[in-house]
Amino acid sequence: MDDDLDQALDAVGPRLRALRRERQTTLAALSAATGISVSTLSRLESGGRRPTLEQLLPLARAHGVTLDELVDAPQTGDPRIHLRPVMAHGMTILPLTRRAGGIQAFKMVLPASSSRKVPSPQTHEGYEWLYVLNGKLRLVLGERDLILAPGEAAEFDTRVPHWFGAANAEPVEFLSLFGTQGERAHVRARPKPPAGK
């Protein structure tokens, strides 16, 4: 780790000189913009002096680069999540989790003209929890034929024959939490206060 830091700091001098020349700025003009003396700037560029954070910040600002660019820091991962929907079985599936194992979360959209009109119940290992966001979801679960409206949820063992589709000619959007190993989603709620309190 110390070797990496030494190498990064040693490389700052040539980078500072290259940036200044690229921008056709004199040491005197850079000194006026940063408040760092001309002699210090010269020693920083030649590698005769290591930069401090107090020097790097105004230099990065004056050159119009980030501090990371100035010290050539390694890139960090992009914190934004780029979700990519998948089309499968006549529906759009948007994975909301990006880790292997455990409970997986999905947003699912069944279009109004879904090809999933005739129930064909399936079974597989796992446990599923559904929550309807928009539209009405038809859930066939064993012998039951249910209609779930927005705000309603269902949970079931996926070894029970099940099927779901749009309940009418409107599209339906819902969230699905699925655990392949039969993990259940635990929902905790505050108990209702006793009547009269």
Side-chain angles (χ1 to χ4, degrees):
M1 187 72 170
D2 287 345
D3 289 344
D4 291 343
L5 181 61
D6 287 344
Q7 286 178 347
L9 290 174
D10 289 343
V12 170
R15 196 168 296 110
L16 284 171
R17 178 174 283 138
L19 283 168
R20 184 175 58 79
R21 288 181 176 167
E22 215 173 88
R23 285 155 178 74
Q24 299 178 344
T25 304
T26 64
L27 284 173
L30 189 57
S31 175
T34 62
I36 301 169
S37 72
V38 172
S39 62
T40 299
L41 288 171
S42 178
R43 286 195 309 254
L44 288 172
E45 286 187 3
S46 67
R49 181 172 178 175
R50 277 203 167 165
T52 64
L53 186 58
E54 289 78 19
Q55 293 165 333
L56 289 173
L57 289 171
L59 285 166
R61 198 174 304 120
H63 288 306
V65 297
T66 66
L67 192 55
D68 284 353
E69 290 173 300
L70 193 59
V71 298
D72 197 26
Q75 287 193 350
T76 57
D78 187 343
R80 295 172 295 171
I81 298 173
H82 301 281
L83 302 172
R84 293 201 172 30
V86 175
M87 295 295 296
H89 310 292
M91 70 180 106
T92 303
I93 303 168
L94 187 66
L96 300 175
T97 49
R98 297 173 13 150
R99 62 181 171 80
I103 294 177
Q104 301 295 308
F106 303 91
K107 179 180 178 185
M108 303 175 108
V109 181
L110 296 171
S113 58
S114 175
S115 60
R116 299 172 54 87
K117 292 180 182 171
V118 179
S120 57
Q122 305 289 319
T123 63
H124 51 86
E125 288 295 318
Y127 202 85
E128 190 156 8
W129 180 88
L130 305 174
Y131 178 83
V132 180
L133 298 167
N134 291 302
K136 292 191 175 180
L137 181 71
R138 180 178 176 201
L139 172 64
V140 175
L141 183 60
E143 299 297 317
R144 295 182 176 174
D145 196 337
L146 308 163
I147 303 293
L148 302 175
E152 290 188 306
E155 63 176 328
F156 54 92
D157 187 323
T158 56
R159 292 175 294 183
V160 174
H162 61 283
W163 174 93
F164 46 79
N168 53 32
E170 300 295 318
V172 62
E173 297 177 47
F174 60 100
L175 298 177
S176 168
L177 297 180
F178 176 70
T180 55
Q181 303 301 316
E183 302 97 333
R184 296 180 66 164
H186 297 286
V187 180
R188 291 185 176 84
R190 229 180 334 191
K192 241 183 175 177
K197 289 196 176 183

